[in-house]
Amino acid sequence: MRPLVVGAPRSGFALLSSVISQLLPMDPLRYGIKQRLINSAVRQTQHYISTAIEAAFTAAGVRDRLIYNGNFKTVAGGPKWLKADEPSRACFRKYLGVKGMGDFILVIAHPAEVLETDSIVHSHSHPRLWTELAQYQDFLKFASVRNPIGIVNSSLFSLNALASEYIQRYVDPRDDNDEMRQRLALFKFTNLDFFTGIVRHYKGYFDEFLPVADRFHVTRWEDLIDRSAETIRRVALQAGLVIEADHANQVWERLDHVNLTGAHEHNYRRGKGLVGDWKNWMTNAHLEIIREHGLEHTMEVFGYGRIEPLKEARYTPFQQRVAELVSRGKVFEDHADLDLFGFAFNKSNIDASAFAFRRYGWRVHSSIERSGFSDEAIVMAVWEAAEKAAGELNAVLEQLLAGDYSTETRAVASVEAAVALSAAMAERMPRVTAAMADELRATVRQAFADGSADVLEVDRSVPPLLIRSWNEYNLVSHRGEFSAIPRAAGPVDLTERDPHSIPGAIVRDSYESLRIALSDGVAN
């Protein structure tokens, strides 16, 4: 299985991706030697560019106030997409801010193969493009959808990772609650230009997605929430996997209404994720804007029906407040923390053409997509640092991709050519660069020693992964083997211990054969 997931922000995208990631250990990813080398280089240099970025902020004297969420610090971190005019490269969006100075969006481009360093290629953008490019024809394509009204509502309450990082550092934990989200959302609900920008963004996405929707396995967010096990089993079947109801329930238990986005601790709104909850927050004025922009057609295509007006007599106190402000043309702007308000402004899922951001073009490897930062000199210094570091890393990655791996001699020469290009990186981060060189050389040696140089092979750096529990066993996937480890054996590290040596363990070369062995009561 080579999974690719596309979905608009707030459409259940992270949830669907997480379901698939829970299924992947049953059918581990296998890579050609070039991709294994790219994986090694990116893994070892994960923070090369972010270190350069942080150094630029330090030189500007504002490092102590830098807002830079950990999700954006890795090479492939942040929202990502194929560069439409150059689809051999992929773009990765980084949000950067400084308390008291505003924020800006940096976009860095790398070879598109960097997308595959994640276990699942995933993107919010260009659904049509993924279906047209030859290099993605063999990928199993999934897509998340949700009632567009629910998507827009969730977007208005969502906090991006920049705001999340600010809250974690500067907001009293007692104030980190839903009341804070509601106050931030009041601006977005009452500023109809902002609201319309959100709607336009999603209209554009669905206009591109609908003509190619039949090329994806589409999963509705509402089905994952209301019919979890049934929907997970259907997703597994689409991936060519058969799982039992108990297995599907175990998958859902790991994912049910929890944060799934790592250092972005505010992606999930606690106590929410409820089907139809938008009816407690939207007003008829907002539904009319959604209808005027043509999203009702998308609703009908995916089985959500037409837009029905809400009964205003049943408005919640929040809806009543919003409706009263909207009727007076009044935008809610009573924000005690203007830094938080600025960072919480939706950046990726809004058509921002109506807002006065500074915008810059592309250099070779990066661009400043939008900026509201108060000191342009700092923006330029950070951009220069990111451009230089990205260029240095990309030179290595591009050489690895251009290499000849037909014989061991040529493969070694190709890797040494890439290592030679890392001289500039070695000056800045010698240990990281040396570790990268060592792993690249070791990868080539191993490939020709075990015969995997010209075949697809599992990434041996991936740690043991739990598939599920089964009666008295834990079922684990590691390096292409599938093991049923007795729970009575206690904690076991399969990176240090051969599963064949564990008393009572059952080991097979495929998950299906292990499942059959367990079903038949067969032991080693």
Side-chain angles (χ1 to χ4, degrees), residues 240-428:
L241 305 170
V242 177
I243 65 173
E244 302 81 3
D246 181 60
H247 186 176
N249 284 325
Q250 289 183 38
V251 169
W252 184 244
E253 286 172 6
R254 301 172 201 165
L255 306 176
D256 184 11
H257 290 82
V258 298
N259 178 56
L260 300 170
T261 49
H264 180 358
E265 295 183 2
H266 295 79
N267 184 62
Y268 168 63
R269 185 182 173 199
R270 290 190 297 270
K272 299 302 176 182
L274 306 174
V275 174
D277 188 50
W278 59 266
K279 296 176 183 177
N280 296 314
W281 310 97
M282 288 277 189
T283 72
N284 285 326
H286 300 102
L287 297 184
E288 186 57 33
I289 292 172
I290 292 172
R291 180 186 290 107
E292 288 173 352
H293 281 77
L295 279 172
E296 192 170 49
H297 172 62
T298 299
M299 292 173 59
E300 292 182 287
V301 168
F302 293 114
Y304 298 110
R306 299 181 65 83
I307 296 174
E308 300 293 339
L310 297 168
K311 296 185 182 300
E312 297 185 3
R314 297 181 183 176
Y315 274 180
T316 64
F318 182 92
Q319 289 169 305
Q320 292 172 9
R321 188 176 189 185
V322 169
E324 191 273 331
L325 288 169
V326 168
S327 69
R328 293 194 289 118
K330 177 74 173 175
V331 175
F332 180 85
E333 295 184 0
D334 182 12
H335 302 289
D337 189 334
L338 292 179
D339 282 312
L340 175 57
F341 170 74
F343 294 142
F345 192 102
N346 267 299
K347 299 296 195 301
S348 63
N349 55 344
I350 183 173
D351 177 347
S353 58
F355 297 90
F357 292 109
R358 294 189 300 278
R359 297 170 172 84
Y360 304 84
W362 272 91
R363 299 177 72 175
V364 177
H365 304 285
S366 61
S367 74
I368 300 296
E369 186 176 72
R370 296 197 292 267
S371 175
F373 201 77
S374 60
D375 190 328
E376 190 171 16
I378 294 178
V379 175
M380 295 298 107
V382 171
W383 190 7
E384 176 62 30
E387 173 72 16
K388 184 174 186 296
E392 291 164 354
L393 176 57
N394 283 346
V396 174
L397 300 178
E398 289 162 3
Q399 175 58 42
L400 290 172
L401 290 168
D404 183 347
Y405 304 96
S406 59
T407 68
E408 184 168 6
T409 299
R410 291 175 177 175
V412 169
S414 295
V415 165
E416 291 305 324
V419 170
L421 289 173
S422 70
M425 297 175 64
E427 291 182 10
R428 181 179 296 158

Side-chain angles (χ1 to χ4, degrees), residues 128 142 151 214 336 377 465 500 510:
R128 178 187 53 77
F142 297 86
I151 291 179
D214 60 347
L465 297 172
H500 294 87
S510 74

Side-chain angles (χ1 to χ4, degrees), residues 33 60 81 101 107 131 167 186 196 204 265 280 362 394 452 489 517 522:
I33 188 169
W81 64 95
M101 302 184 75
V107 178
T131 70
I167 292 167
L186 277 170
T196 300
E265 295 183 2
N280 296 314
W362 272 91
N394 283 346
S452 66
V522 176

Side-chain angles (χ1 to χ4, degrees), residues 7 13 53 72 100 116 136 139 185 198 222 234 268 272 289 307 343 377-378 385 388 422 428 437 461 466 507:
F13 173 80
I53 289 171
F72 302 134
E116 295 183 57
Y136 299 105
F139 279 70
I198 292 280
E222 292 84 357
R234 177 171 54 80
Y268 168 63
K272 299 302 176 182
I289 292 172
I307 296 174
F343 294 142
I378 294 178
K388 184 174 186 296
S422 70
R428 181 179 296 158
S461 71
L466 176 67
V507 185

